[in-house]
Amino acid sequence: MAVITMTINDELVSGVEGQSLLSLIREQGIELPTLCHLEGLEARGGCRLCLVEMQSTQRLLPACTTTAQEGMSIQTHSERLVRYRRMILELLFAERNHVCAVCVMNGRCELQDEAAKIGMDHVRYDYLVPELPMDATHDKFAIDHNRCILCTRCVSVCDSVEGAHTWDVMGRGVNSRVITDLNQPWGSSRSCTSCGKCVQVCPTGALANKGSTVAEMVKRHDFLQWILDGREKKQWVMHNGGSEGRR
Amino acid sequence: MKRSDLQAMARRELDRQQATRCRLLCCASTPCLSSGAATVQQALEQAVTDNKLDAEVVVVSTGCMGPCSRGPMVTVQLAGQEDTYYENVTPESARQIVAEHVMANQPVADKIMPSDLPFFAKQHKIVLANSGVIDPERLEDYVARDGYAALAHALREMTPEEVCAEISKSGLRGRGGAGYPTGLKWDLVRKAPGEKKYVIANGDEGDPGAYMDRTLMESDPHRLLEGMAIAGYAVGAEQGFLYVRGEYPIAAKRLEKAIRTAERRGLLGSRVLESSFSFRIDIRIGAGAFVCGEETALMASIMGRRGQPTPRPPYPAQSGLWECPTLINNVETFGNIVPIIAHGADWFASVGTAKSKGSKIFALAGKVNTTGLIEVPMGITLREVIDDIGGGVADGFSFKAAQTGGPSGGCIPAEHLDTPMDYESLRALGAIMGSGGLIVMDNASCMPDVAKFFMEFCTDESCGKCVPCRVGTVQMHRILERITNGSAAPADLQILQDLCTMVQETSLCGLGQSAPNPVLSTLRFYREEYEAHIQRHECPAGVCKMTEAPTLELVEALPRRIRELGTIPMSLA
């Protein structure tokens, strides 16, 4: 494998040819938020939080879907990028009813974390307060569309890792919604294997175990790497001892 | 079918046409059909039969003749005479035309549209050369006008490299709006490694008020098929897809018929014109999503997936349909291929400006006297288009703005009317060439209201994949809603402007990246209108109802009021 050299935030770094910009940036210990991308799932480029600035053209490119190339020079935290990230987070908070105080993921939510990290203390846009339903027909899990940020990690993991493709998206624009089967109640879904992978990868409180109440839900992402390593390398090893949840 | 068979077919058809004394051309494209062209054609046919003229007069249903607002249009072609155009033809006047013009050689004066009008004189028809002249459903009509000769020429006398080089030399640029050099794109696909390659014609035209692609598909379907086949030969593809918007049933029907006829005659399918080149074309009908005009979303739709864009790179030329190199061009771009191959790149490059060659079709709409479909040389000024071709703005009104490029474009004010219409000049004004929508607005239009209209369109059409476009357009629309109903606060203008730049720079695909253009361009040229709405609470054009009370910015307004009054107002004390 060929080695490439490029510049991140004015520092020379080296990586492997074909590596995504996001993984190279994170290898340097630089924190870059991603709400749609999750290591192990196919890169999507939808949340636009991992946008980085090309020094040569000033163009913004999503780090998750861009391949690192020899001689590239990028900035990850320019004033413009930080301003845009905050605006995007504000837009997400305004889109649906993200009321942390009554959310099962309060304190462990990725959306909440990113907002706190960037110092988002208020939302300057109108709250759209849509009236969205919940679906608690499944035995073990429930979905609350009010918390969904349409990252479609659930769709991706269900299709590519579990192979069930229970989840998909219907509608478009701000009226999009994730659905099970052909918009049937989750509990009546015949394709759902009740594996719970969708629940574990969901960044917010949209998908949760039934029975968890405010701030009780703990999600684990490490299972994803465990399955992928097992499949590809035939090594079934849990990297962090298997006991820890996220954080 | 061989090349000689093609030439024989052309000769036969020309002989047949010359044997008839008179051809009555009746427009059968959507605008004329919707104003009653079908009954006009019936009346013409009936009148011909009643007067026992069947042997010497033929009635032909053709494609678009141009002046759509004056439809139904009928053209009378009498042997040895100039064509006569009739406008607003009714069944009665159709019978009159047959009785007086065809039989007695006395043109019906009050229905004639003079052919020396600037509407016709200032146009330069390259792509629409056959439109309104041939019957789109008859292959013979197309072949009689040298149809499929360019394909035969390319297959026999040119290598794929030479075809690409010819297109590059002509300076043709993508007619979908962005203006990427077509020859360069073809060459990229030709050189891309891969066994299987595809050609796609993008006919998912969605801009409000634009119908260039529809007209081309309805009026001259074979030209499009021939252009695609030449492209297939040049890039090494054996399969083409024609993506037609679902709202265009007539276009889809005519294309379907054209494909079947061409396949039966060996002009498409396996061993085209008895050469070693095979090329199949299939039609895919869209399901009504504007975003599917974006190339990556369009390809997802062809593959049967949800019509959502994916980040580029990889570009379709490297990895498109089923990860194979794919050439995707607009329908109008393919319409330019045949004339370039037939007449040569130098001939084509002699029309237009230094950087924008050839002609462009515009759908001229709005407050001008003659609206319709026009094809003008690149570099013509907006003033010529509006005043000469369009016949100027209606009496009693004055020109205010010309909107090009639909929801991705911008508004051009009166002081820039002398701007040449080419890719670079329009972009410098914050508008775009776009696919060719051109809406003229007079002083009865309110610019924030226009911006709101286009933003509402983008809100509906956003696919929902990326956050800036999905939620940003909704927030921008809400601010515009507040501005036009009178409840906007002074700070809203800055929030709107910040959102515009953010959505432009961070959105995933062209839809989101260009969605703020109508707002930004109206803010640039008509900022005082926005300010009048917000600060003076009035709509200068008198369009907006301004029914809501203004939202006071208490934090800013209160200290100012206290300073002004020297005391705390009683109502707040």
Side-chain angles (χ1 to χ4, degrees), chain B residues 15 163 345 379 411 423:
Chain B
D15 289 346
V163 177
C411 292
Y423 291 100

Side-chain angles (χ1 to χ4, degrees), chain B residues 303-387:
Chain B
M303 292 186 284
R305 300 180 191 156
R306 184 176 155 89
Q308 278 192 328
T310 44
R312 296 176 307 180
Y315 287 91
Q318 309 154 291
S319 168
L321 281 180
W322 297 285
E323 275 129 50
C324 300
T326 303
L327 172 74
I328 174 162
N329 275 137
N330 181 268
V331 161
E332 193 186 330
T333 314
F334 282 119
N336 277 296
I337 302 305
V338 172
I340 292 175
I341 299 297
H343 305 300
D346 295 327
W347 167 83
F348 186 82
S350 67
V351 185
T353 64
K355 282 184 168 176
S356 306
K357 302 292 185 194
S359 63
K360 177 81 192 86
I361 311 179
F362 286 99
L364 182 60
K367 302 292 180 60
V368 283
N369 284 316
T370 306
T371 60
L373 201 78
I374 57 168
E375 183 172 355
V376 290
M378 290 273 189
I380 193 173
T381 65
L382 202 49
R383 193 184 297 281
E384 288 175 275
V385 171
I386 293 168
D387 288 351

Side-chain angles (χ1 to χ4, degrees), chain B residues 122-138:
Chain B
K122 288 243 171 173
Q123 294 199 46
H124 189 106
K125 298 210 172 182
I126 295 175
V127 181
L128 294 176
N130 292 342
S131 176
V133 184
I134 64 163
D135 181 347
E137 303 208 17
R138 284 189 78 232

Side-chain angles (χ1 to χ4, degrees), chain B residues 167-486:
Chain B
I167 302 296
S168 295
K169 199 171 144 209
S170 73
L172 176 66
R173 295 169 65 176
R175 296 293 192 246
Y180 190 80
T182 306
L184 198 60
K185 201 188 241 182
W186 285 30
D187 224 29
L188 281 175
V189 180
R190 184 179 67 78
K191 286 181 187 151
E195 279 282 291
K196 228 176 155 63
K197 294 178 188 178
Y198 295 97
V199 171
I200 303 175
N202 182 349
D204 191 62
E205 172 182 57
D207 293 0
Y211 57 99
M212 299 73 54
D213 297 352
R214 181 186 71 200
T215 305
L216 186 58
M217 292 187 282
E218 284 179 359
S219 308
D220 201 359
H222 283 288
R223 166 188 294 257
L224 187 54
L225 304 182
E226 188 181 352
M228 287 178 73
I230 294 172
Y233 173 68
V235 304
E238 295 200 340
Q239 172 73 52
F241 287 101
L242 240 165
Y243 194 89
V244 185
R245 189 179 175 199
E247 288 86 340
Y248 291 172
I250 301 177
K253 200 190 88 203
R254 289 189 187 160
L255 285 165
E256 190 78 61
K257 186 171 178 188
I259 292 173
R260 262 187 283 121
T261 319
E263 278 180 352
R264 215 168 31 237
R265 298 299 184 98
L267 297 165
L268 281 179
S270 52
R271 303 199 59 226
V272 173
L273 284 160
E274 298 190 8
S275 69
S276 59
F277 168 68
S278 300
F279 193 68
R280 262 187 68 86
I281 298 179
D282 284 309
I283 293 185
R284 290 288 179 273
I285 310 277
F290 178 67
V291 72
C292 286
E294 199 278 340
E295 57 184 20
T296 56
L298 186 147
M299 291 191 301
S301 175
I302 287 182
M303 292 186 284
R305 300 180 191 156
R306 184 176 155 89
Q308 278 192 328
T310 44
R312 296 176 307 180
Y315 287 91
Q318 309 154 291
S319 168
L321 281 180
W322 297 285
E323 275 129 50
C324 300
T326 303
L327 172 74
I328 174 162
N329 275 137
N330 181 268
V331 161
E332 193 186 330
T333 314
F334 282 119
N336 277 296
I337 302 305
V338 172
I340 292 175
I341 299 297
H343 305 300
D346 295 327
W347 167 83
F348 186 82
S350 67
V351 185
T353 64
K355 282 184 168 176
S356 306
K357 302 292 185 194
S359 63
K360 177 81 192 86
I361 311 179
F362 286 99
L364 182 60
K367 302 292 180 60
V368 283
N369 284 316
T370 306
T371 60
L373 201 78
I374 57 168
E375 183 172 355
V376 290
M378 290 273 189
I380 193 173
T381 65
L382 202 49
R383 193 184 297 281
E384 288 175 275
V385 171
I386 293 168
D387 288 351
D388 299 342
I389 297 179
V393 179
D395 288 340
F397 293 93
S398 61
F399 171 86
K400 184 168 187 178
Q403 212 277 350
T404 68
S408 316
C411 292
I412 301 167
E415 63 260 36
H416 292 291
L417 267 179
D418 289 312
T419 311
M421 310 267 283
D422 60 51
Y423 291 100
E424 278 72 27
S425 309
L426 288 176
R427 192 164 298 157
L429 287 175
I432 57 165
M433 177 77 81
S435 56
L438 178 58
I439 303 168
V440 179
M441 288 177 276
D442 60 19
N443 47 2
S445 300
C446 163
M447 299 323 274
D449 189 58
V450 170
K452 186 181 80 174
F453 168 80
F454 284 114
M455 192 54 74
E456 188 177 0
F457 181 86
C458 292
T459 308
D460 284 342
E461 296 298 341
S462 166
C463 77
K465 182 169 178 175
C466 77
V467 183
C469 174
R470 183 178 79 222
V471 204
T473 52
V474 176
Q475 294 291 354
M476 287 190 282
H477 179 249
R478 282 176 82 109
I479 295 175
L480 289 165
E481 185 79 53
R482 283 207 293 275
I483 291 175
T484 52
N485 73 15

Side-chain angles (χ1 to χ4, degrees), chain B residues 28 30 63 77 102 122 184 256 265 345 430 504 508 516 519 543 554 558 573:
Chain B
T30 307
Q77 289 185 325
V102 179
K122 288 243 171 173
L184 198 60
E256 190 78 61
R265 298 299 184 98
Q504 214 173 29
L508 197 163
V519 182
V543 173
L554 278 179
L558 194 59

